[in-house]
Amino acid sequence: MPVLGQNQYGKAENRVVRVTRDGATHHIKDLNVSVALSGDMDEVHLSGSNAHVLTTDATKNTVFAFAKEHGIASAEQFGIHLARHFVTSQPAVTTARIRIEEYAWERIATEGEDRHSFVRTNQETRTAQITFDGTAWEIVAGLKDLVVMNTTDSEFKGYVKDRYTTLRETDDRILATEVHARWRHAWTGDEANTPDWDGSYARTRGHLLRAFAETYSLSLQQTLYAMGARVIDSGPEIDEIRLSLPNKHHFLVDLTPFGLKNDDEVYFAADRPYGLIEATVLREGVRPAIPVDLTNLP
């Protein structure tokens, strides 16, 4: 006999742009917000009764109304407002999960006094996932599509070789990757000790970049751990970080057919297939909670 398992519903990818006008100076927050609600929803599946269903259209409208009423101080804080609202205002909703992507804009410098022109930056996308079940909070911040490269200080040798191994050892190579990271905050809902979410994001991003740049890499795995360890060692605000690092391979091009010597100058950037290195770095004594597979996270 079939039984209903875990289920959720909501409105995905609500694109909301909030402009804050401070005289001639404007500020932008550009978010992609997905709402997922779960709780006492068996009957809508089993009998078609909508008695406990808040429409997905209403969840969409809430996102836009809250952007006006509460503003968007940060992706995390906006998600907290939404999650608390859905769980506390709807008796049938016991858990709300808010996933957010934030897109960055950079102000265009102008000679005049007006400061309302922006260019979309081509850097990483900031992410956040906020989950609230009426009692416990889980805040997972992160980023994706942060492309980084070291043109030296990376080697790869001493690995297992079998009959199918063709890769040559190297003591100097390009190391490039596209960082996808999620980190879980230790914050449990104490309003008096709410983190500075924007500041925490900037610090964590900085730790990831500096660790990548400052680590002499014997393998991408070693670099990944150095990046995660730098974040955990930086302070008590983060308990866990999950990193997914594709190895963006760069291969030296053989120029000998053209009578040219390639002195580690010209490379072919291969987009696929690619090695994929993933791992979690935890504070000692903390149990992991971030899913191993990051592909379905924002």
Side-chain angles (χ1 to χ4, degrees):
M1 177 179 178
V3 295
L4 179 66
Q6 193 277 334
N7 60 87
Q8 61 195 33
Y9 80 103
K11 189 72 90 176
E13 300 200 33
N14 300 281
R15 290 287 282 106
V16 55
V17 176
R18 176 64 152 90
V19 179
T20 301
R21 291 172 168 81
D22 182 13
T25 300
H26 296 180
H27 307 273
I28 290 178
K29 285 290 188 178
D30 185 353
L31 306 183
N32 187 21
V33 182
S34 294
V35 177
L37 309 177
S38 57
D40 184 8
M41 302 294 169
D42 286 6
E43 285 307 311
V44 67
H45 293 273
L46 301 179
S47 68
S49 171
N50 295 317
H52 289 175
V53 175
L54 177 71
T55 67
T56 64
D57 189 65
T59 66
K60 174 202 70 177
N61 293 338
T62 303
V63 170
F64 291 107
F66 271 42
K68 167 62 177 176
E69 294 174 352
H70 297 278
I72 303 176
S74 67
E76 291 86 353
Q77 194 62 50
F78 189 60
I80 288 170
H81 285 311
L82 288 169
R84 181 184 291 114
H85 166 77
F86 289 123
V87 171
T88 59
S89 67
Q90 299 297 320
V93 175
T94 58
T95 301
R97 187 198 68 207
I98 314 298
R99 288 178 172 171
I100 300 175
E101 295 180 341
E102 179 174 350
Y103 310 117
W105 291 83
E106 181 179 295
R107 194 180 305 280
I108 299 174
T110 60
E111 294 181 0
E113 295 182 358
D114 292 341
R115 306 182 69 209
H116 57 253
S117 299
F118 300 84
V119 59
R120 175 80 173 269
T121 60
N122 294 318
Q123 298 184 28
E124 79 279 3
T125 298
R126 179 175 171 176
T127 65
Q129 177 173 292
I130 299 90
T131 305
F132 181 53
D133 65 2
T135 302
W137 290 94
E138 183 181 85
I139 312 296
V140 178
L143 57 82
K144 64 179 183 178
D145 305 327
L146 179 62
V147 180
V148 293
M149 176 189 290
N150 284 331
T151 54
T152 190
D153 285 351
S154 175
E155 60 184 62
F156 191 54
K157 56 189 179 182
Y159 43 82
V160 172
K161 301 176 181 67
D162 66 5
R163 60 184 293 195
Y164 302 110
T165 302
T166 58
L167 185 69
R168 294 181 179 179
E169 293 189 348
T170 177
D171 56 10
D172 190 11
R173 66 171 181 170
I174 285 179
L175 182 67
T177 187
E178 185 173 303
V179 182
H180 297 251
R182 303 290 182 270
W183 53 90
R184 180 164 54 88
H185 284 268
W187 186 72
T188 57
D190 180 6
E191 296 288 346
N193 294 302
T194 300
D196 170 8
W197 300 112
D198 286 345
S200 177
Y201 176 85
R203 287 190 299 274
T204 303
R205 180 183 184 275
H207 291 311
L208 291 171
L209 290 177
R210 285 190 293 275
F212 177 82
E214 296 171 5
T215 301
Y216 186 98
S217 181
L218 303 177
S219 67
L220 186 52
Q221 287 91 331
Q222 177 204 12
T223 298
L224 180 153
Y225 181 77
M227 294 167 71
R230 177 79 68 97
V231 171
I232 297 300
D233 284 340
S234 67
E237 65 187 58
I238 294 172
D239 277 343
E240 172 187 7
I241 181 167
R242 175 83 189 168
L243 288 155
S244 178
L245 303 183
N247 196 338
K248 300 178 77 68
H249 301 295
H250 289 68
F251 300 109
L252 279 171
V253 178
D254 182 7
L255 300 178
T256 55
F258 320 119
L260 299 173
K261 183 179 180 181
N262 192 351
D263 292 322
D264 296 339
E265 295 170 308
V266 181
Y267 297 83
F268 167 65
D271 64 343
R272 66 193 65 181
Y274 53 86
L276 181 60
I277 312 302
E278 298 179 297
T280 300
V281 183
L282 301 159
R283 189 171 304 284
E284 187 175 6
V286 169
R287 295 175 62 88
I290 299 176
V292 172
D293 184 2
L294 299 182
T295 55
N296 292 322
L297 290 179

